[in-house]
Amino acid sequence: MAYNSKRLLAFWFAVVSAVAINAELSTAALAAPVEAKTIADHFSSVKSMSGDFVQSGPRAERTKGKFFLQRPGKIRVSVIADGKSLVVYNKKLKTSRLYALSKTPLKLLLDNQVNFSGNRLKSIRDDGAQVIIRLADKSAFGNSNITMVFDRESLDLRRWTLTDERGLTSTVTISNVKQGVRAPAGTFTIDYAANREFNTKTK
């Protein structure tokens, strides 16, 4: 009887140990950080999308509306990029500024194959619910940088923050996102003639 009790006790000890080990391994797997390349590959596979956006500016101003994104290089939110240039409108002042897209960090969001590696990757943080990636390239964008926030489970983009040369930030949060959406004709069209009224050269 005592022998059987010892065998039963040993059996239950083995079962409990196995469960504990499996639980520990599962926890470790869940806690494993998401790699930047995994997110970059997933995000690159999204060639077009649209939805709602809310933008918060450096002076607490808020803009909202519908956004469209199409790779490579095209977006319409509170700004418009047509694959070559980026225009920033100021409706209140009735002015606009035109920039070469290649000179703004927004390019890193719009590349056909986004790249979250090398010297441009300044930080990646996984808080369990989302993954925050900050990118910068001083040779191309000066002191400007972009921070992108992705859902940890789906790896989908949730928001991005642009920081300009002066350290001023602008955050765009997106929702109700649909992928593979065709944008209406003219969505990414920039009126270069109108912009020449406010710009003597493309920056």
Side-chain angles (χ1 to χ4, degrees):
M1 183 71 178
Y3 176 73
N4 287 337
S5 297
K6 287 182 179 179
R7 290 186 63 184
L8 185 61
L9 183 61
F11 171 75
W12 281 113
F13 178 77
V15 170
V16 170
S17 298
V19 170
I21 291 172
N22 286 335
E24 184 176 346
L25 290 174
S26 298
T27 301
L30 288 173
V34 178
E35 293 185 358
K37 186 179 185 306
T38 301
I39 298 176
D41 289 345
H42 172 79
F43 189 42
S44 296
S45 71
V46 180
K47 297 306 180 183
S48 65
M49 61 181 182
S50 68
D52 300 319
F53 81 90
V54 177
Q55 177 172 320
S56 302
R59 298 174 182 82
E61 65 272 26
R62 287 169 66 86
T63 306
K64 61 182 180 179
K66 194 84 172 175
F67 85 92
F68 292 90
L69 181 151
Q70 181 178 308
R71 300 189 191 284
K74 297 179 180 179
I75 195 170
R76 187 184 187 105
V77 276
S78 55
V79 301
I80 300 175
D82 64 358
K84 180 179 69 174
S85 303
L86 172 75
V87 65
V88 181
Y89 291 106
N90 187 321
K91 292 182 179 180
K92 184 177 181 180
L93 297 178
K94 296 182 179 179
T95 60
S96 64
R97 299 295 300 273
L98 191 66
Y99 304 88
L101 180 60
S102 61
K103 297 299 182 181
T104 75
L106 195 61
K107 172 187 179 296
L108 303 177
L109 183 90
L110 301 175
D111 280 342
N112 196 45
Q113 180 66 44
V114 297
N115 184 1
F116 299 160
S117 64
N119 293 333
R120 67 177 48 179
L121 178 61
K122 299 307 178 183
S123 66
I124 177 169
R125 182 164 58 88
D126 182 346
D127 68 6
Q130 55 190 15
V131 182
I132 303 97
I133 295 177
R134 187 170 71 87
L135 303 167
D137 185 343
K138 196 173 182 65
S139 64
F141 317 125
N143 292 323
S144 302
N145 62 76
I146 186 169
T147 300
M148 305 181 204
V149 179
F150 297 87
D151 181 87
R152 193 187 191 282
E153 183 175 351
S154 67
L155 303 185
D156 290 337
L157 180 67
R158 293 292 182 245
R159 66 179 179 276
W160 66 86
T161 297
L162 285 168
T163 302
D164 68 13
E165 290 273 357
R166 298 170 294 171
L168 299 177
T169 62
S170 179
T171 298
V172 175
T173 301
I174 59 177
S175 59
N176 302 319
V177 176
K178 294 181 179 179
Q179 299 179 7
V181 176
R182 184 183 296 275
T187 296
F188 309 110
T189 299
I190 293 176
D191 188 341
Y192 286 92
N195 277 279
R196 278 194 287 271
E197 297 177 16
F198 308 109
N199 297 273
T200 57
K201 63 178 179 178
T202 301
K203 296 187 177 182

